[in-house]
């Protein structure tokens, strides 16, 4: 076997001024990819990475959640500190348990309700204005942790209580465990 056909656990390309995801097509067994703190503007070039379980592209310049259809084994997705304005194109990523979209421009919790394995959702520092958005994830049985601080809803004096009303099985809100 060629070196690239063997199981490659981790590739780190953080803080390297990378502008484009490219030349990874032969790393077909790659499980974890870290490309944080670069200048990447588009999620692309991951089609052959069908065994990818963790994708971290935090602190880049990504504006659209796209091109993850082939990455059906994704368990963890970290896209904080980008310019993403809507949650979309996760229809094939049914194994996601952790989604970090904090520090983006998201107003609505759309296109998450099919993620039955989702247990952690990081949406702090976005633009969520209504607690009604939580109805879109209330049927997710595995959800235990949500981060929603520093969204417009965070200003509400009943912030934690309202989250608990919509998500009665929640165990952690932001960095604090829920009292039973």
């Amino acid at each position: 076997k060629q070196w690239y056909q063997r199981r490659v656990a981790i590739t780190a390309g953080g803080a390297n001024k990378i502008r484009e995801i490219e030349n990874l097509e032969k790393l077909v067994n790659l499980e974890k990819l870290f490309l944080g703190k670069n200048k990447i503007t588009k999620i692309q070039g991951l089609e052959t990475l069908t065994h990818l379980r963790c994708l971290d592209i935090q602190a880049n310049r990504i504006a659209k959640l796209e091109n993850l259809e082939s990455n059906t084994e994704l368990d963890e997705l970290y896209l904080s500190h980008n310019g993403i304005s809507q949650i979309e194109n996760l229809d094939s990523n049914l194994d996601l348990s952790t989604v970090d979209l904090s520090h983006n421009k998201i107003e609505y919790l759309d296109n998450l309700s099919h993620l039955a394995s989702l247990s952690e959702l990081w949406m702090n520092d976005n633009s969520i204005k209504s607690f009604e958005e939580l109805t879109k994830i209330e049927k997710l049985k595995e959800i235990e942790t949500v981060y929603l601080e520093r969204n417009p809803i965070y200003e509400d004096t009943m912030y934690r209580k309202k989250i608990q009303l919509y998500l009665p099985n929640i165990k952690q809100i932001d960095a604090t465990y829920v009292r039973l």
Side-chain angles (χ1 to χ4, degrees):
K1 284 187 170 182
Q2 296 291 325
W3 69 269
Y4 53 80
Q5 292 174 317
R6 294 188 193 109
R7 201 118 184 110
V8 179
I10 299 174
T11 294
N16 285 308
K17 298 181 182 170
I18 296 170
R19 293 185 181 277
E20 193 173 315
I21 303 171
E22 59 186 352
N23 302 319
L24 299 176
E25 54 278 341
K26 291 185 178 181
L27 300 177
V28 294
N29 290 314
L30 187 68
E31 292 180 0
K32 296 183 180 186
L33 178 60
F34 298 92
L35 293 170
K37 294 184 180 175
N38 281 294
K39 296 179 179 185
I40 298 167
T41 57
K42 185 174 183 176
I43 301 172
Q44 62 185 9
L46 304 175
E47 298 79 17
T48 62
L49 308 183
T50 56
H51 297 291
L52 199 61
R53 298 196 42 75
C54 176
L55 177 60
D56 182 332
I57 316 179
Q58 299 182 78
N60 275 280
R61 298 173 180 172
I62 296 166
K64 186 175 173 80
L65 194 46
E66 62 186 339
N67 299 322
L68 296 173
E69 298 82 9
S70 302
N71 311 108
T72 56
E73 293 183 24
L74 262 184
D75 176 50
E76 300 173 62
L77 180 61
Y78 302 97
L79 290 167
S80 68
H81 295 88
N82 275 290
I84 298 167
S85 59
Q86 67 183 68
I87 303 168
E88 59 187 335
N89 301 316
L90 294 176
D91 300 332
S92 303
N93 310 107
L94 301 177
D95 290 343
L96 281 171
S97 67
T98 302
V99 173
D100 181 353
L101 289 166
S102 59
H103 295 271
N104 275 289
K105 300 173 182 177
I106 298 168
E107 287 184 50
Y108 307 106
L109 296 178
D110 293 330
N111 304 310
L112 293 169
S113 61
H114 68 288
L115 300 177
S117 300
L118 191 64
S119 61
E120 289 193 31
L121 179 61
W122 295 57
M123 294 297 301
N124 51 290
D125 300 280
N126 272 289
S127 300
I128 299 167
K129 296 177 180 84
S130 172
F131 286 99
E132 286 293 311
E133 288 303 309
L134 296 175
T135 62
K136 297 173 182 175
I137 61 169
E138 68 185 355
K139 289 192 171 79
L140 296 175
K141 304 273 188 253
E142 299 297 318
I143 196 125
E144 293 183 347
T145 303
V146 291
Y147 279 78
L148 292 164
E149 60 194 341
R150 293 180 301 278
N151 276 283
I153 60 171
Y154 187 64
E155 302 301 317
D156 191 305
T157 56
M158 298 296 287
Y159 167 76
R160 292 180 61 79
K161 279 283 181 220
K162 286 184 180 179
I163 292 173
Q164 287 177 270
L165 286 171
Y166 283 99
L167 306 173
N169 296 324
I170 204 75
K171 292 185 170 79
Q172 184 179 335
I173 299 170
D174 304 324
T176 309
Y177 286 101
V178 173
R179 286 192 222 136
L180 301 173

